[in-house]
């Protein structure tokens, strides 16, 4: 499983340090072999990771240059960051990133060998138009994206499930992940109102290889609990195989 914590614009540098201490010691004390990633705000980046991968929530596709207010490759390299979220719905819908810009970002960071967590997902009005409209919409989010990129993870995050407490039904997640599976062999994550109460059942669904967690990941204990649930699922699977 792959478990990702997306802090968005939350937590100070000091809070992030305290958080990382909890998660890192949980991961090592429990010999977790699932992949754990944390995406803190830029201001909290440090060379602090031992067994937890640190990624960024965004960056501008350039080595450096006149991009006021942006962070480019040069600054990420200073912190050894090699993992990036691209296409998150808040960047698409709140910050107005176009598919063209997103694809340019994807190409740039793929060329630099970054692990890319590429996010797709539909707004509610599209979901309400039915399956065909839904898949047409999601297809547009793959324009200019290399689904065969080796270090790719796809996160399905329906916009209407992000930060709302609403989650799709299991069937809706399974159907979307099955459709995504026809496009790529990359691991598929689900994101959108994942929390301790539903993480395990979501991770147990077919073609769900992990979760991308926002608000519920802000509590280190809750995030650790979700990591433990992933471990437990694997353990159960092993036991079932032995029967
Ligand atoms: P929430 O878990 O707060 O719904 O956010 C999901 C998300 O956007 C993760 O990237």
């Amino acid at each position: 499983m792959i478990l990702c914590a997306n802090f968005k614009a939350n937590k100070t540098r000091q809070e992030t340090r305290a958080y990382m201490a909890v998660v890192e010691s949980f991961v090592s004390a429990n010999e977790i072999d699932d992949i754990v990633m944390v995406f803190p705000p830029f201001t909290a980046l440090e060379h602090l990771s031992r067994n937890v991968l640190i990624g960024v929530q965004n960056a501008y596709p350039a080595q450096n240059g006149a991009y006021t207010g942006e962070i480019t490759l040069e600054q990420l390299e200073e912190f050894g960051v090699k993992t990036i979220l691209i296409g998150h719905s808040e960047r698409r819908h709140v910050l107005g990133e176009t598919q063209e810009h997103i694809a340019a970002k994807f190409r740039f960071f793929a060329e630099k060998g970054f692990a890319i967590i590429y996010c797709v997902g539909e707004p509610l009005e599209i979901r309400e138009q039915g399956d065909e409209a839904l898949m047409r919409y999601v297809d547009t989010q793959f324009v200019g994206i290399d689904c065969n990129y080796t270090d790719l993870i796809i996160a399905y995050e329906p916009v209407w499930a992000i930060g709302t407490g609403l989650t799709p039904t299991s069937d809706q997640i399974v159907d979307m992940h099955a459709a995504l599976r026809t496009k790529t062999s990359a691991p598929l994550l689900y994101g959108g109102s994942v929390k301790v109460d539903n993480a395990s059942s979501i991770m147990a669904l077919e073609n769900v290889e992990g979760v991308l967690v926002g608000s519920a990941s802000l509590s280190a204990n809750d995030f650790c609990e979700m990591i433990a649930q992933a471990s437990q699922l694997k353990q159960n699977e092993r036991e079932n195989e032995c029967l």
Side-chain angles (χ1 to χ4, degrees), residues 134-147:
L134 171 61
M135 283 324 297
R136 256 201 320 271
Y137 184 89
V138 172
D139 279 347
T140 64
Q141 298 183 315
F142 281 99
V143 172
I145 303 302
D146 176 7
C147 288

Side-chain angles (χ1 to χ4, degrees), residues 93-111:
H93 301 291
V94 183
L95 284 311
E97 281 189 12
T98 62
Q99 185 61 29
E100 206 181 358
H101 181 63
I102 290 168
K105 211 181 270 195
F106 189 102
R107 276 193 301 277
F108 180 86
F109 286 102
E111 207 171 281

Side-chain angles (χ1 to χ4, degrees), residues 56-133:
V56 284
Q57 302 167 20
N58 180 44
Y60 193 83
Q63 177 68 31
N64 54 29
Y67 306 105
T68 301
E70 295 290 322
I71 296 279
T72 61
L73 184 64
E74 189 171 275
Q75 289 82 44
L76 300 185
E77 282 175 338
E78 186 175 24
F79 292 98
V81 170
K82 291 291 276 177
T83 306
I84 186 168
L85 283 180
I86 296 181
H88 192 278
S89 90
E90 283 143 23
R91 301 235 35 109
R92 293 178 190 268
H93 301 291
V94 183
L95 284 311
E97 281 189 12
T98 62
Q99 185 61 29
E100 206 181 358
H101 181 63
I102 290 168
K105 211 181 270 195
F106 189 102
R107 276 193 301 277
F108 180 86
F109 286 102
E111 207 171 281
K112 302 296 175 194
F114 271 58
I116 297 176
I117 291 81
Y118 185 69
C119 307
V120 297
E122 80 290 355
L124 190 56
E125 64 270 23
I126 300 291
R127 164 67 66 179
E128 287 171 346
Q129 285 168 27
D131 289 350
E132 227 172 89

Side-chain angles (χ1 to χ4, degrees), residues 4 6 8 85 88-90 119 157 161-165 191-195 212-217:
C4 303
N6 177 9
K8 311 190 179 185
L85 283 180
H88 192 278
S89 90
E90 283 143 23
C119 307
E157 298 203 300
I162 296 178
T164 58
S193 294
V194 175
K195 45 186 185 287
L212 175 52
V213 192
S215 9
S217 75

Side-chain angles (χ1 to χ4, degrees), residues 121-221:
E122 80 290 355
L124 190 56
E125 64 270 23
I126 300 291
R127 164 67 66 179
E128 287 171 346
Q129 285 168 27
D131 289 350
E132 227 172 89
L134 171 61
M135 283 324 297
R136 256 201 320 271
Y137 184 89
V138 172
D139 279 347
T140 64
Q141 298 183 315
F142 281 99
V143 172
I145 303 302
D146 176 7
C147 288
N148 298 316
Y149 176 56
T150 40
D151 222 341
L152 176 63
I153 295 170
I154 304 284
Y156 169 53
E157 298 203 300
V159 180
W160 51 275
I162 296 178
T164 58
L166 300 172
T167 44
T169 63
S170 299
D171 284 350
Q172 287 173 328
I173 298 176
V174 168
D175 287 352
M176 177 56 79
H177 280 232
L180 293 172
R181 180 50 73 233
T182 64
K183 291 181 182 296
T184 177
S185 55
L188 303 175
L189 313 184
Y190 169 78
S193 294
V194 175
K195 45 186 185 287
V196 167
D197 293 351
N198 61 15
S200 184
S201 53
I202 290 173
M203 288 188 285
L205 296 174
E206 202 175 348
N207 285 317
V208 175
E209 283 133 318
V211 284
L212 175 52
V213 192
S215 9
S217 75
L218 295 175
S219 152
N221 289 336

